[in-house]
Amino acid sequence: MLFLNLNLIILILFCSSQDFPAKGHRRSPSDAEFRDLTFRDAKESLHKELEKLIHTADPSQQTHVRKEFDGFEQLFSRFLEETGPSVDWEKIKLLPEGAVQPYNELEVQLTNDQMKTMLNKLVVLKLNGGLGTSMGCTGPKSLICVRNNLTFLDLNVQQIEQLNKRYGTDVPLVLMNSFNTDIDTEKILRKYSQMKIKIHTFNQSRYPRINRESLLPTANSIGGREQEGLSDCWYPPGHGDVYESLYNSGLLQKFIDDGKEFIFVSNIDNLGATVDINILNFMNNPSNGPAPEFIMEVTDKTRADVKGGTLVDYEGKLRLVEIAQVPKDKVDEFKSVSKFKIFNTNNLWMQLKAMKRVVTEKTLRMEIIVNPKTLDNGINVIQLETAVGAAIKNFEGAIGVNVPRRRFLPVKTTSDLLVIMSNLYSLHQGSLAMNPMRSFPSVPLTKLGTSFKKVKDFLHRFASIPDLLDLDHLTVSGDVTFGKGVTLKGTVIIIANHGERIDIPMGAILENKIVSGNLRILDH
Ligand SMILES: *[C@@H]1O[C@H](CO)[C@@H](O)[C@H](O)[C@H]1NC(C)=O
Ligand SMILES: *[C@@H]1O[C@H](CO)[C@@H](O)[C@H](O)[C@H]1NC(C)=O
């Protein structure tokens, strides 16, 4: 739908015959010329508007803003030029032997000294640009409490701090903030100033949203985040921005100068994304051939993650294919667990020098994600985004590692939060470990209804987090509350229809049960 609309716009604006070979409309040299001219027009108009915006910035900020806008202009030109589908389905090949290494083949025995030497070459970067909006929270997502009153940020800091303590190392933690999360994050970071961990932050870019009709920025001044009416005009362009922004911040060069060689990048809400010595060692001492410049951790698909991006062989290189790029009639094939068996966890390892090279040589070609929005004032805008993993094709000797599921524990919804907070996991030095009492390693499938969507409502509806040790599947819908010390086993479905309410009593044990209708427990 999205791509269709855009193609339509481009068709109208540029009379391109490339995507819609209209009847009787033959592409002639003059069409191509016309298109080139209109592209040039669109680019020039945008450039003029951006120059105007730069002049509204504080003089001390102008150089920085100009650098950001250069990145935006590059993205915008590619958006104009690359009109066709970003992947040709016929060219997609299944992965060749060795393109994805099983994790257990990487396991090695290392001495503490060897580990220390490798860890001292590592930088850990967490993507911290997102807000907790989808879970009903106003600030950065990383400040949501996950367990024992600790936030994602606390847990990530603890992990790295403990690692440094244990090995006597100096692994820095880097946070890529966005203009949405930076101020709140900085406030919290002050509490870690006494700890044995160096924390660096930088902002990802702040790009202008563009009007869908005119393709020009909606902003008329740079403004700040607080400035009335302007916050809508800007956006952080997805985590693919990490390459440019880390470079622009000066940190990339600083780490190289400090003797760092590797960077581990992951989402801050993935609590399974801990520093892994085996993968780091593989990056440092590959058993055969040259060191990979890029490692993507992938994991086996289950029915719950058929929409995740997958790795394929494309024109002889590894490529990440996301569902948005797949032609409509191939979506079922894409989702098939038997054909595309793995998906991207977004835990990525890179050589810092290679990261620098792709930025300075401008060889990054991450697929552009076009995200349409309607602003409060009714104006339709688009924002151009990229995803960090899509850069895999621009690195040499890139490889996938098929990791155990425990390295992928994202918290996207309160259903995920329920599982993470429960007795299925225990917390050890900032890392979550699955309870050994669980009889099988899979995580239960949980679906909490909209009454549980906001973290505040979710917490209010559970007097305490139930025992989930033997749970396979939980569905809860409607006005439902749980008393203290409830145990859920097997498959449990609890449905309160509109106007009804169900209170699961204190200490209840529900095993393979469907509960519906009204169930009120009144104080007496
Ligand atoms: C959780 O943290 C808040 C704020 O730091 C504090 O007020 C509260 O007492 C803490 N609760 C627990 C159970 O530790
Ligand atoms: C990052 O963004 C915030 C919010 O716009 C701003 O206050 C802060 O100065 C920025 N930090 C840097 C290093 O530019």
Side-chain angles (χ1 to χ4, degrees), residues 45-63:
S45 310
L46 176 78
H47 185 76
K48 273 190 209 141
E49 290 300 309
L50 293 177
E51 280 299 314
K52 279 191 216 158
L53 284 173
I54 291 173
H55 288 288
T56 68
D58 187 273
S60 67
Q61 288 294 309
Q62 290 189 2
T63 320

Side-chain angles (χ1 to χ4, degrees), residues 144-173:
I144 294 177
C145 281
V146 200
R147 256 192 100 110
N148 309 2
N149 221 8
L150 297 170
T151 63
F152 289 105
L153 185 58
D154 292 332
L155 294 176
N156 277 287
V157 170
Q158 273 194 6
Q159 279 176 15
I160 305 296
E161 197 222 356
Q162 293 294 331
L163 186 81
N164 282 333
K165 261 198 193 148
R166 178 148 39 122
Y167 296 102
T169 49
D170 181 26
V171 177
L173 175 67

Side-chain angles (χ1 to χ4, degrees), residues 427-458:
L427 197 57
H428 180 65
Q429 303 183 330
S431 307
L432 289 170
M434 190 174 269
N435 192 327
M437 305 278 282
R438 172 116 175 134
S439 18
F440 34 90
S442 69
V443 176
L445 219 54
T446 47
K447 283 185 210 147
L448 299 176
T450 49
S451 329
F452 290 80
K453 190 167 181 226
K454 295 183 177 176
V455 174
K456 195 167 134 258
D457 299 338
F458 160 85

